[in-house]
Amino acid sequence: MDFFFKPLTPAQKLKNSLLHIDSHIRSLSCPPSSKEQRKISNQLSKDGYVILHEYLSEDLLGKAQAHIKNSLEYGNFEFPVFAQSNIDKIKHKEIIDNHFLESDEHLFKMGLAFDKEDFTNLDEVVQTFKPSIFKIPFPSQSAEFSKIWLDEFILGVINCYMGLTPKLLEAYIRRNYPSEFKRTNHYWHRDLNHRSHLLKVFIFFSDCTIDNGPHEYIRGSHKDLTINGKRFFEEKEVDKIVPPDSSDRIKSIVKAGTIVIEDTRGLHRAIIPKKGYRDLGFAVFAPVPTYSILNTPCYYNISKDNYNRLSDFQKKFIPKGNILEK
Ligand SMILES: [Fe+2]
């Protein structure tokens, strides 16, 4: 795979427009962006990120937090889960050196993950297996979660920034605990989901301090391609060019309810929590080439009832294959 990011040539831009003709046509029937949305979109173009402090209403935040707590306490999250307690630093050196690129299913086969049958209660599995991440699926029936992931003001910003109407391709929540081992996204990297149009929306469901794993982004690195050409970068490689005390290193030290919109083709990483945990929602937006619109990989579902409650504008962002018939 080519890890070298280059600005698109005029010919590539034209090819992209043709590939995403469907997303361009969809954008024509969207509401026009407001002055405030254009302002945020301009900031995104300049810096590569925007922080909307304490954006969620208290009511919506409270309901989402209750769902996350409930899901974790009843074991309603994705299995298998990587178990740091089972790592032998000598025996598993190759996996450690390979940044744990293997899937959790593969780690499970190697005895390095635990399964649903091993779940007793949250505190006990955290103590016993020392998990670093729990992944909670997007609740397909929840009107509240749809309101957050498909917030119309933010969708308008996304439309304005991209100049087309993309799809919400991924939706999930993660709880991160302290980790002894660095896994893929703990390293500085650029996301590869889409080379010409990509935005991620991070939704903070817990307060985030320097101790419980802020997200870090290099301001302007979606355009500045000085650090380039590798899947992952070592800390010292980045520190040499953007020193740790630089004001261009943006750490999301924010209150619960804050939303960060980010062009993650820029350099970013997840800092490992030192204590406590961090609950974070992820929404990934990118256009789907018209030719593959019918076989887009499905990473979350939305129930038919829930879909029917959405506005026409919100519906444009949901791939048809993600709507559950029942
Ligand atoms: Fe990433």
Side-chain angles (χ1 to χ4, degrees):
M1 196 172 210
D2 177 18
F3 298 127
F4 207 87
F5 276 71
K6 298 178 204 93
L8 296 181
T9 62
Q12 285 169 322
K13 279 186 187 165
L14 178 65
K15 189 181 160 199
N16 259 319
S17 297
L18 295 172
L19 272 178
H20 302 122
I21 192 80
D22 181 73
S23 308
H24 283 286
I25 292 171
R26 250 195 337 271
S27 72
L28 298 175
S29 53
C30 288
S33 47
S34 66
K35 199 175 161 193
E36 186 60 18
Q37 285 168 322
R38 287 196 297 277
K39 192 175 143 201
I40 294 174
S41 164
N42 288 340
Q43 198 192 329
L44 261 174
S45 298
K46 183 169 147 282
D47 295 331
Y49 76 97
V50 165
I51 302 178
L52 305 173
H53 288 280
E54 295 178 70
Y55 182 83
L56 294 183
S57 70
E58 253 177 60
D59 176 55
L60 217 43
L61 174 62
K63 283 177 177 153
Q65 286 171 326
H67 174 86
I68 294 168
K69 185 171 181 280
N70 214 37
S71 302
L72 291 166
E73 284 179 357
Y74 287 94
N76 294 325
F77 46 82
E78 287 185 8
F79 288 96
V81 178
F82 170 52
Q84 295 186 79
S85 57
N86 296 3
I87 285 280
D88 177 322
K89 283 183 189 162
I90 298 165
K91 195 171 148 196
H92 303 117
K93 186 175 181 311
E94 203 179 315
I95 296 174
I96 297 169
D97 291 347
N98 199 25
H99 318 313
F100 292 89
L101 272 174
E102 293 80 1
S103 65
D104 285 337
E105 283 71 22
H106 183 74
L107 293 173
F108 180 69
K109 280 183 194 148
M110 298 180 70
L112 298 178
F114 65 95
D115 211 350
K116 184 128 183 127
E117 293 95 72
D118 302 310
F119 182 80
T120 44
N121 65 67
L122 183 63
D123 289 343
E124 201 171 304
V125 290
V126 169
Q127 289 281 328
T128 311
F129 297 109
K130 301 207 174 355
S132 60
I133 300 173
F134 287 125
K135 186 173 174 185
I136 302 167
F138 180 80
S140 61
Q141 316 264 5
S142 164
E144 285 81 18
F145 274 77
S146 296
K147 261 187 205 160
I148 299 172
W149 261 253
L150 295 160
D151 177 278
E152 296 203 48
F153 179 81
I154 292 177
L155 294 182
V157 170
I158 293 169
N159 253 6
C160 187
Y161 178 74
M162 290 193 181
L164 48 72
T165 302
K167 294 288 183 191
L168 171 63
L169 295 180
E170 293 182 49
Y172 54 90
I173 304 117
R174 272 186 189 160
R175 171 169 288 189
N176 277 71
Y177 285 100
S179 172
E180 196 185 332
F181 306 99
K182 272 191 177 183
R183 294 189 76 180
T184 50
N185 69 338
H186 295 139
Y187 288 88
W188 286 106
H189 65 282
R190 296 177 185 275
D191 283 349
L192 304 170
N193 310 48
H194 200 289
R195 285 289 168 112
S196 64
H197 301 85
L198 178 65
L199 279 177
K200 277 194 183 171
V201 177
F202 300 104
I203 307 134
F204 286 82
F205 291 113
S206 55
D207 290 346
C208 192
T209 68
I210 193 68
D211 288 330
N212 63 341
H215 177 86
E216 192 172 12
Y217 187 78
I218 306 285
R219 188 203 310 267
S221 58
H222 63 313
K223 288 186 175 161
D224 183 336
L225 302 173
T226 311
I227 302 168
N228 202 350
K230 284 163 75 173
R231 182 70 192 96
F232 299 107
F233 301 90
E234 292 295 334
E235 227 163 291
K236 58 184 180 210
E237 290 177 84
V238 175
D239 290 355
K240 213 166 92 183
I241 294 167
V242 191
D245 59 355
S246 164
S247 60
D248 286 334
R249 289 182 58 149
I250 310 301
K251 291 189 182 77
S252 57
I253 294 169
V254 297
K255 289 277 182 207
T258 294
I259 288 187
V260 175
I261 313 174
E262 194 173 288
D263 186 330
T264 52
R265 292 172 301 164
L267 277 167
H268 63 283
R269 66 170 175 171
I271 298 177
I272 298 173
K274 288 191 202 96
K275 55 184 178 189
Y277 58 80
R278 182 197 65 188
D279 291 339
L280 190 60
F282 294 74
V284 180
F285 291 89
V288 177
T290 309
Y291 66 83
S292 67
I293 209 127
L294 293 175
N295 49 19
T296 312
C298 178
Y299 295 116
Y300 69 95
N301 289 116
I302 183 161
S303 70
K304 188 90 177 169
D305 285 350
N306 211 355
Y307 177 80
N308 287 338
R309 281 192 289 262
L310 300 177
S311 69
D312 287 346
F313 179 44
Q314 290 170 314
K315 283 177 182 166
K316 290 177 192 288
F317 291 80
I318 304 290
K320 289 280 173 278
N322 293 39
I323 306 164
L324 293 174
E325 282 310 312
K326 285 187 180 176

Short mmCIF file of all heavy atoms in Angstrom, two decimals, residues 185 189 191 200 264 268, ligand 1:
data_model
loop_
_atom_site.label_atom_id
_atom_site.label_comp_id
_atom_site.label_asym_id
_atom_site.label_seq_id
_atom_site.Cartn_x
_atom_site.Cartn_y
_atom_site.Cartn_z
N ASN A 185 -3.49 2.86 16.59
CA ASN A 185 -3.83 4.29 16.60
C ASN A 185 -3.17 5.08 17.74
O ASN A 185 -3.39 6.27 17.87
CB ASN A 185 -5.36 4.49 16.60
CG ASN A 185 -5.98 4.07 17.91
OD1 ASN A 185 -5.41 3.28 18.66
ND2 ASN A 185 -7.16 4.60 18.20
N HIS A 189 -0.24 8.86 12.92
CA HIS A 189 -0.56 8.30 11.60
C HIS A 189 -1.53 9.23 10.86
O HIS A 189 -2.08 10.16 11.46
CB HIS A 189 -1.19 6.90 11.75
CG HIS A 189 -2.52 6.93 12.45
ND1 HIS A 189 -2.64 7.06 13.81
CD2 HIS A 189 -3.79 6.87 11.97
CE1 HIS A 189 -3.92 7.06 14.14
NE2 HIS A 189 -4.64 6.96 13.05
N ASP A 191 -5.04 8.84 8.48
CA ASP A 191 -6.05 7.84 8.13
C ASP A 191 -6.08 7.61 6.62
O ASP A 191 -5.88 8.54 5.84
CB ASP A 191 -7.44 8.28 8.61
CG ASP A 191 -7.60 8.07 10.11
OD1 ASP A 191 -6.75 7.40 10.71
OD2 ASP A 191 -8.59 8.59 10.66
N LYS A 200 -13.68 12.93 10.34
CA LYS A 200 -14.13 12.14 11.46
C LYS A 200 -14.70 13.10 12.49
O LYS A 200 -14.18 14.20 12.69
CB LYS A 200 -12.98 11.34 12.07
CG LYS A 200 -12.72 10.04 11.34
CD LYS A 200 -11.84 9.12 12.13
CE LYS A 200 -11.57 7.88 11.28
NZ LYS A 200 -10.54 7.01 11.88
N THR A 264 -8.92 13.71 9.32
CA THR A 264 -7.92 12.79 9.88
C THR A 264 -6.93 12.27 8.82
O THR A 264 -6.16 11.37 9.11
CB THR A 264 -8.57 11.61 10.62
OG1 THR A 264 -9.52 11.01 9.75
CG2 THR A 264 -9.25 12.06 11.89
N HIS A 268 -2.40 12.46 13.44
CA HIS A 268 -3.08 12.39 14.74
C HIS A 268 -2.73 11.10 15.45
O HIS A 268 -2.19 10.17 14.84
CB HIS A 268 -4.59 12.51 14.54
CG HIS A 268 -5.18 11.38 13.74
ND1 HIS A 268 -5.06 11.30 12.38
CD2 HIS A 268 -5.87 10.27 14.12
CE1 HIS A 268 -5.67 10.22 11.94
NE2 HIS A 268 -6.16 9.55 12.99
FE FE B 1 -6.73 7.46 12.89
#
